[in-house]
Amino acid sequence: GAGVSQSPRYKVAKRGQDVALRCDPISGHVSLFWYQQALGQGPEFLTYFQNEAQLDKSGLPSDRFFAERPEGSVSTLKIQRTQQEDSAVYLCASSPAGTSNTGELFFGEGSRLTVL
Amino acid sequence: RKEVEQDPGPFNVPEGATVAFNCTYSNSASQSFFWYRQDCRKEPKLLMSVYSSGNEDGRFTAQLNRASQYISLLIRDSKLSDSATYLCVVIPGGATNKLIFGTGTLLAVQP
């Protein structure tokens, strides 16, 4: 389809493992966002890319979290040495414009991470 | 204090009822406001923007009170299909492009 695609949809990791979550945004979308959504909570901002530039990473909770978008299209969120508190749904969203002032982000279905 | 606060609910209402959700935001410089809808185990989707003059889209009315830093969503003639979580969303002022989401308010419309 033409929407935002995320993989894997479900990931179970043992505590201490590294994980990589992939996001394929809508073709041509300039802006790409990662959000973390814990059970019963709203999405929490992690980081923002405009093309390949990471313009805001203020929401990354620790240096175990790293995101990249090297060619301005596909993005990967990497979590090193996973902890139980990392268990959440990781949502990727894209928008066509350089800013998100239109308010419309197109979200993927998310990657549900469970850390045992 | 969270930047965007909502009553988490749940709001249990009968079909046909009118229900209102409220949201407050802490950053007085915030520029843009929205309501998103999130169905159970699905991704959030934009429901409507919120303008200072208020705006209506069918059974949905959104209003903004900048002086009180308060946003509302009114749903008239509730349908079973309106059952979802409604997320209040704010774009803070300044150079940031990030959307800040509230916790969400769960609405359950009963037959």
Side-chain angles (χ1 to χ4, degrees), chain B residues 8-33:
Chain B
F11 283 57
N12 294 298
V13 303
E15 268 187 292
T18 295
V19 61
F21 307 134
N22 303 319
C23 166
T24 57
Y25 59 96
S26 61
N27 185 345
S28 59
S30 296
Q31 297 298 313
S32 304
F33 310 90

PDB file of all heavy atoms in Angstrom, chain B residues 8-33:
ATOM      1  N   PRO B   8      -8.635  11.061  31.368  1.00  0.00           N
ATOM      2  CA  PRO B   8      -8.514   9.797  30.634  1.00  0.00           C
ATOM      3  C   PRO B   8      -9.827   9.042  30.454  1.00  0.00           C
ATOM      4  O   PRO B   8      -9.902   8.140  29.610  1.00  0.00           O
ATOM      5  CB  PRO B   8      -7.533   8.997  31.493  1.00  0.00           C
ATOM      6  CG  PRO B   8      -7.672   9.567  32.859  1.00  0.00           C
ATOM      7  CD  PRO B   8      -7.965  11.024  32.674  1.00  0.00           C
ATOM      8  N   GLY B   9     -10.870   9.422  31.221  1.00  0.00           N
ATOM      9  CA  GLY B   9     -12.135   8.715  31.130  1.00  0.00           C
ATOM     10  C   GLY B   9     -12.051   7.376  31.849  1.00  0.00           C
ATOM     11  O   GLY B   9     -11.279   7.240  32.790  1.00  0.00           O
ATOM     12  N   PRO B  10     -12.810   6.352  31.453  1.00  0.00           N
ATOM     13  CA  PRO B  10     -13.627   6.325  30.239  1.00  0.00           C
ATOM     14  C   PRO B  10     -14.943   7.082  30.384  1.00  0.00           C
ATOM     15  O   PRO B  10     -15.469   7.207  31.474  1.00  0.00           O
ATOM     16  CB  PRO B  10     -13.882   4.831  30.033  1.00  0.00           C
ATOM     17  CG  PRO B  10     -13.855   4.258  31.414  1.00  0.00           C
ATOM     18  CD  PRO B  10     -12.846   5.073  32.177  1.00  0.00           C
ATOM     19  N   PHE B  11     -15.410   7.577  29.256  1.00  0.00           N
ATOM     20  CA  PHE B  11     -16.725   8.172  29.158  1.00  0.00           C
ATOM     21  C   PHE B  11     -17.633   7.102  28.541  1.00  0.00           C
ATOM     22  O   PHE B  11     -17.412   6.701  27.412  1.00  0.00           O
ATOM     23  CB  PHE B  11     -16.708   9.414  28.250  1.00  0.00           C
ATOM     24  CG  PHE B  11     -16.129  10.637  28.894  1.00  0.00           C
ATOM     25  CD1 PHE B  11     -14.851  10.652  29.416  1.00  0.00           C
ATOM     26  CD2 PHE B  11     -16.879  11.810  28.981  1.00  0.00           C
ATOM     27  CE1 PHE B  11     -14.319  11.786  30.004  1.00  0.00           C
ATOM     28  CE2 PHE B  11     -16.355  12.964  29.565  1.00  0.00           C
ATOM     29  CZ  PHE B  11     -15.074  12.946  30.077  1.00  0.00           C
ATOM     30  N   ASN B  12     -18.594   6.654  29.306  1.00  0.00           N
ATOM     31  CA  ASN B  12     -19.560   5.671  28.810  1.00  0.00           C
ATOM     32  C   ASN B  12     -20.873   6.397  28.553  1.00  0.00           C
ATOM     33  O   ASN B  12     -21.493   6.908  29.497  1.00  0.00           O
ATOM     34  CB  ASN B  12     -19.772   4.559  29.836  1.00  0.00           C
ATOM     35  CG  ASN B  12     -18.512   3.742  30.035  1.00  0.00           C
ATOM     36  OD1 ASN B  12     -18.012   3.111  29.114  1.00  0.00           O
ATOM     37  ND2 ASN B  12     -17.980   3.751  31.244  1.00  0.00           N
ATOM     38  N   VAL B  13     -21.289   6.479  27.296  1.00  0.00           N
ATOM     39  CA  VAL B  13     -22.495   7.231  26.955  1.00  0.00           C
ATOM     40  C   VAL B  13     -23.391   6.380  26.081  1.00  0.00           C
ATOM     41  O   VAL B  13     -22.919   5.512  25.342  1.00  0.00           O
ATOM     42  CB  VAL B  13     -22.152   8.558  26.236  1.00  0.00           C
ATOM     43  CG1 VAL B  13     -21.228   9.421  27.096  1.00  0.00           C
ATOM     44  CG2 VAL B  13     -21.557   8.319  24.874  1.00  0.00           C
ATOM     45  N   PRO B  14     -24.710   6.611  26.118  1.00  0.00           N
ATOM     46  CA  PRO B  14     -25.619   5.869  25.235  1.00  0.00           C
ATOM     47  C   PRO B  14     -25.591   6.462  23.832  1.00  0.00           C
ATOM     48  O   PRO B  14     -25.259   7.643  23.639  1.00  0.00           O
ATOM     49  CB  PRO B  14     -26.986   6.079  25.893  1.00  0.00           C
ATOM     50  CG  PRO B  14     -26.857   7.378  26.608  1.00  0.00           C
ATOM     51  CD  PRO B  14     -25.434   7.487  27.049  1.00  0.00           C
ATOM     52  N   GLU B  15     -25.946   5.641  22.872  1.00  0.00           N
ATOM     53  CA  GLU B  15     -26.083   6.137  21.496  1.00  0.00           C
ATOM     54  C   GLU B  15     -26.997   7.358  21.475  1.00  0.00           C
ATOM     55  O   GLU B  15     -28.015   7.394  22.186  1.00  0.00           O
ATOM     56  CB  GLU B  15     -26.731   5.060  20.612  1.00  0.00           C
ATOM     57  CG  GLU B  15     -25.770   4.154  19.924  1.00  0.00           C
ATOM     58  CD  GLU B  15     -26.479   3.245  18.941  1.00  0.00           C
ATOM     59  OE1 GLU B  15     -27.251   2.369  19.397  1.00  0.00           O
ATOM     60  OE2 GLU B  15     -26.267   3.412  17.735  1.00  0.00           O
ATOM     61  N   GLY B  16     -26.635   8.340  20.671  1.00  0.00           N
ATOM     62  CA  GLY B  16     -27.459   9.534  20.547  1.00  0.00           C
ATOM     63  C   GLY B  16     -27.117  10.643  21.526  1.00  0.00           C
ATOM     64  O   GLY B  16     -27.582  11.779  21.379  1.00  0.00           O
ATOM     65  N   ALA B  17     -26.288  10.339  22.499  1.00  0.00           N
ATOM     66  CA  ALA B  17     -25.932  11.343  23.506  1.00  0.00           C
ATOM     67  C   ALA B  17     -24.960  12.369  22.930  1.00  0.00           C
ATOM     68  O   ALA B  17     -24.289  12.127  21.920  1.00  0.00           O
ATOM     69  CB  ALA B  17     -25.318  10.666  24.724  1.00  0.00           C
ATOM     70  N   THR B  18     -24.884  13.498  23.613  1.00  0.00           N
ATOM     71  CA  THR B  18     -23.861  14.502  23.320  1.00  0.00           C
ATOM     72  C   THR B  18     -22.790  14.398  24.397  1.00  0.00           C
ATOM     73  O   THR B  18     -23.107  14.298  25.588  1.00  0.00           O
ATOM     74  CB  THR B  18     -24.472  15.911  23.320  1.00  0.00           C
ATOM     75  OG1 THR B  18     -25.410  16.003  22.243  1.00  0.00           O
ATOM     76  CG2 THR B  18     -23.391  16.968  23.144  1.00  0.00           C
ATOM     77  N   VAL B  19     -21.537  14.396  23.976  1.00  0.00           N
ATOM     78  CA  VAL B  19     -20.442  14.243  24.936  1.00  0.00           C
ATOM     79  C   VAL B  19     -19.370  15.278  24.615  1.00  0.00           C
ATOM     80  O   VAL B  19     -19.168  15.627  23.446  1.00  0.00           O
ATOM     81  CB  VAL B  19     -19.868  12.808  24.893  1.00  0.00           C
ATOM     82  CG1 VAL B  19     -19.313  12.471  23.528  1.00  0.00           C
ATOM     83  CG2 VAL B  19     -18.830  12.603  25.976  1.00  0.00           C
ATOM     84  N   ALA B  20     -18.739  15.796  25.662  1.00  0.00           N
ATOM     85  CA  ALA B  20     -17.696  16.812  25.482  1.00  0.00           C
ATOM     86  C   ALA B  20     -16.422  16.390  26.197  1.00  0.00           C
ATOM     87  O   ALA B  20     -16.466  15.884  27.323  1.00  0.00           O
ATOM     88  CB  ALA B  20     -18.170  18.158  26.023  1.00  0.00           C
ATOM     89  N   PHE B  21     -15.297  16.595  25.514  1.00  0.00           N
ATOM     90  CA  PHE B  21     -13.982  16.329  26.092  1.00  0.00           C
ATOM     91  C   PHE B  21     -13.226  17.648  26.219  1.00  0.00           C
ATOM     92  O   PHE B  21     -13.335  18.513  25.348  1.00  0.00           O
ATOM     93  CB  PHE B  21     -13.155  15.402  25.192  1.00  0.00           C
ATOM     94  CG  PHE B  21     -13.834  14.133  24.814  1.00  0.00           C
ATOM     95  CD1 PHE B  21     -13.825  13.687  23.516  1.00  0.00           C
ATOM     96  CD2 PHE B  21     -14.486  13.374  25.772  1.00  0.00           C
ATOM     97  CE1 PHE B  21     -14.446  12.502  23.159  1.00  0.00           C
ATOM     98  CE2 PHE B  21     -15.113  12.195  25.423  1.00  0.00           C
ATOM     99  CZ  PHE B  21     -15.098  11.751  24.105  1.00  0.00           C
ATOM    100  N   ASN B  22     -12.453  17.732  27.273  1.00  0.00           N
ATOM    101  CA  ASN B  22     -11.667  18.933  27.497  1.00  0.00           C
ATOM    102  C   ASN B  22     -10.191  18.609  27.564  1.00  0.00           C
ATOM    103  O   ASN B  22      -9.802  17.481  27.881  1.00  0.00           O
ATOM    104  CB  ASN B  22     -12.100  19.592  28.812  1.00  0.00           C
ATOM    105  CG  ASN B  22     -13.571  19.901  28.812  1.00  0.00           C
ATOM    106  OD1 ASN B  22     -14.116  20.354  27.820  1.00  0.00           O
ATOM    107  ND2 ASN B  22     -14.231  19.614  29.924  1.00  0.00           N
ATOM    108  N   CYS B  23      -9.395  19.624  27.323  1.00  0.00           N
ATOM    109  CA  CYS B  23      -7.951  19.461  27.301  1.00  0.00           C
ATOM    110  C   CYS B  23      -7.340  20.806  27.687  1.00  0.00           C
ATOM    111  O   CYS B  23      -7.850  21.855  27.282  1.00  0.00           O
ATOM    112  CB  CYS B  23      -7.544  19.057  25.880  1.00  0.00           C
ATOM    113  SG  CYS B  23      -5.806  19.177  25.489  1.00  0.00           S
ATOM    114  N   THR B  24      -6.289  20.774  28.485  1.00  0.00           N
ATOM    115  CA  THR B  24      -5.559  22.006  28.796  1.00  0.00           C
ATOM    116  C   THR B  24      -4.106  21.835  28.376  1.00  0.00           C
ATOM    117  O   THR B  24      -3.569  20.722  28.369  1.00  0.00           O
ATOM    118  CB  THR B  24      -5.626  22.345  30.291  1.00  0.00           C
ATOM    119  OG1 THR B  24      -5.096  21.234  31.040  1.00  0.00           O
ATOM    120  CG2 THR B  24      -7.054  22.613  30.733  1.00  0.00           C
ATOM    121  N   TYR B  25      -3.488  22.948  28.026  1.00  0.00           N
ATOM    122  CA  TYR B  25      -2.084  22.919  27.632  1.00  0.00           C
ATOM    123  C   TYR B  25      -1.322  23.963  28.427  1.00  0.00           C
ATOM    124  O   TYR B  25      -1.878  24.980  28.843  1.00  0.00           O
ATOM    125  CB  TYR B  25      -1.917  23.136  26.125  1.00  0.00           C
ATOM    126  CG  TYR B  25      -2.462  24.443  25.598  1.00  0.00           C
ATOM    127  CD1 TYR B  25      -1.633  25.552  25.430  1.00  0.00           C
ATOM    128  CD2 TYR B  25      -3.799  24.562  25.246  1.00  0.00           C
ATOM    129  CE1 TYR B  25      -2.131  26.742  24.947  1.00  0.00           C
ATOM    130  CE2 TYR B  25      -4.300  25.750  24.766  1.00  0.00           C
ATOM    131  CZ  TYR B  25      -3.464  26.836  24.614  1.00  0.00           C
ATOM    132  OH  TYR B  25      -3.959  28.029  24.143  1.00  0.00           O
ATOM    133  N   SER B  26      -0.041  23.693  28.656  1.00  0.00           N
ATOM    134  CA  SER B  26       0.714  24.534  29.587  1.00  0.00           C
ATOM    135  C   SER B  26       1.517  25.641  28.911  1.00  0.00           C
ATOM    136  O   SER B  26       1.816  26.655  29.544  1.00  0.00           O
ATOM    137  CB  SER B  26       1.661  23.656  30.418  1.00  0.00           C
ATOM    138  OG  SER B  26       2.579  22.986  29.572  1.00  0.00           O
ATOM    139  N   ASN B  27       1.862  25.460  27.639  1.00  0.00           N
ATOM    140  CA  ASN B  27       2.707  26.436  26.956  1.00  0.00           C
ATOM    141  C   ASN B  27       1.846  27.500  26.288  1.00  0.00           C
ATOM    142  O   ASN B  27       1.202  27.240  25.269  1.00  0.00           O
ATOM    143  CB  ASN B  27       3.583  25.717  25.924  1.00  0.00           C
ATOM    144  CG  ASN B  27       4.585  26.644  25.254  1.00  0.00           C
ATOM    145  OD1 ASN B  27       4.474  27.869  25.327  1.00  0.00           O
ATOM    146  ND2 ASN B  27       5.575  26.070  24.599  1.00  0.00           N
ATOM    147  N   SER B  28       1.861  28.701  26.857  1.00  0.00           N
ATOM    148  CA  SER B  28       0.998  29.762  26.338  1.00  0.00           C
ATOM    149  C   SER B  28       1.399  30.212  24.935  1.00  0.00           C
ATOM    150  O   SER B  28       0.614  30.854  24.247  1.00  0.00           O
ATOM    151  CB  SER B  28       1.023  30.970  27.283  1.00  0.00           C
ATOM    152  OG  SER B  28       2.343  31.456  27.413  1.00  0.00           O
ATOM    153  N   ALA B  29       2.606  29.858  24.502  1.00  0.00           N
ATOM    154  CA  ALA B  29       3.063  30.242  23.164  1.00  0.00           C
ATOM    155  C   ALA B  29       2.637  29.238  22.098  1.00  0.00           C
ATOM    156  O   ALA B  29       2.940  29.413  20.917  1.00  0.00           O
ATOM    157  CB  ALA B  29       4.582  30.373  23.158  1.00  0.00           C
ATOM    158  N   SER B  30       1.947  28.179  22.487  1.00  0.00           N
ATOM    159  CA  SER B  30       1.539  27.152  21.524  1.00  0.00           C
ATOM    160  C   SER B  30       0.709  27.766  20.404  1.00  0.00           C
ATOM    161  O   SER B  30      -0.119  28.659  20.638  1.00  0.00           O
ATOM    162  CB  SER B  30       0.734  26.053  22.228  1.00  0.00           C
ATOM    163  OG  SER B  30       1.547  25.377  23.164  1.00  0.00           O
ATOM    164  N   GLN B  31       0.940  27.274  19.202  1.00  0.00           N
ATOM    165  CA  GLN B  31       0.372  27.907  18.027  1.00  0.00           C
ATOM    166  C   GLN B  31      -0.744  27.108  17.366  1.00  0.00           C
ATOM    167  O   GLN B  31      -1.670  27.676  16.796  1.00  0.00           O
ATOM    168  CB  GLN B  31       1.490  28.130  16.985  1.00  0.00           C
ATOM    169  CG  GLN B  31       2.587  29.057  17.448  1.00  0.00           C
ATOM    170  CD  GLN B  31       2.070  30.453  17.728  1.00  0.00           C
ATOM    171  OE1 GLN B  31       1.335  31.023  16.933  1.00  0.00           O
ATOM    172  NE2 GLN B  31       2.419  30.993  18.890  1.00  0.00           N
ATOM    173  N   SER B  32      -0.627  25.810  17.398  1.00  0.00           N
ATOM    174  CA  SER B  32      -1.554  24.985  16.609  1.00  0.00           C
ATOM    175  C   SER B  32      -2.099  23.855  17.466  1.00  0.00           C
ATOM    176  O   SER B  32      -1.385  23.310  18.313  1.00  0.00           O
ATOM    177  CB  SER B  32      -0.836  24.406  15.382  1.00  0.00           C
ATOM    178  OG  SER B  32      -0.259  25.429  14.601  1.00  0.00           O
ATOM    179  N   PHE B  33      -3.364  23.518  17.175  1.00  0.00           N
ATOM    180  CA  PHE B  33      -4.079  22.580  18.041  1.00  0.00           C
ATOM    181  C   PHE B  33      -4.921  21.635  17.184  1.00  0.00           C
ATOM    182  O   PHE B  33      -5.490  22.061  16.160  1.00  0.00           O
ATOM    183  CB  PHE B  33      -4.985  23.364  19.004  1.00  0.00           C
ATOM    184  CG  PHE B  33      -4.266  24.477  19.707  1.00  0.00           C
ATOM    185  CD1 PHE B  33      -4.214  25.751  19.154  1.00  0.00           C
ATOM    186  CD2 PHE B  33      -3.622  24.248  20.909  1.00  0.00           C
ATOM    187  CE1 PHE B  33      -3.526  26.783  19.777  1.00  0.00           C
ATOM    188  CE2 PHE B  33      -2.930  25.271  21.545  1.00  0.00           C
ATOM    189  CZ  PHE B  33      -2.879  26.537  20.981  1.00  0.00           C
TER     190      PHE B  33
END
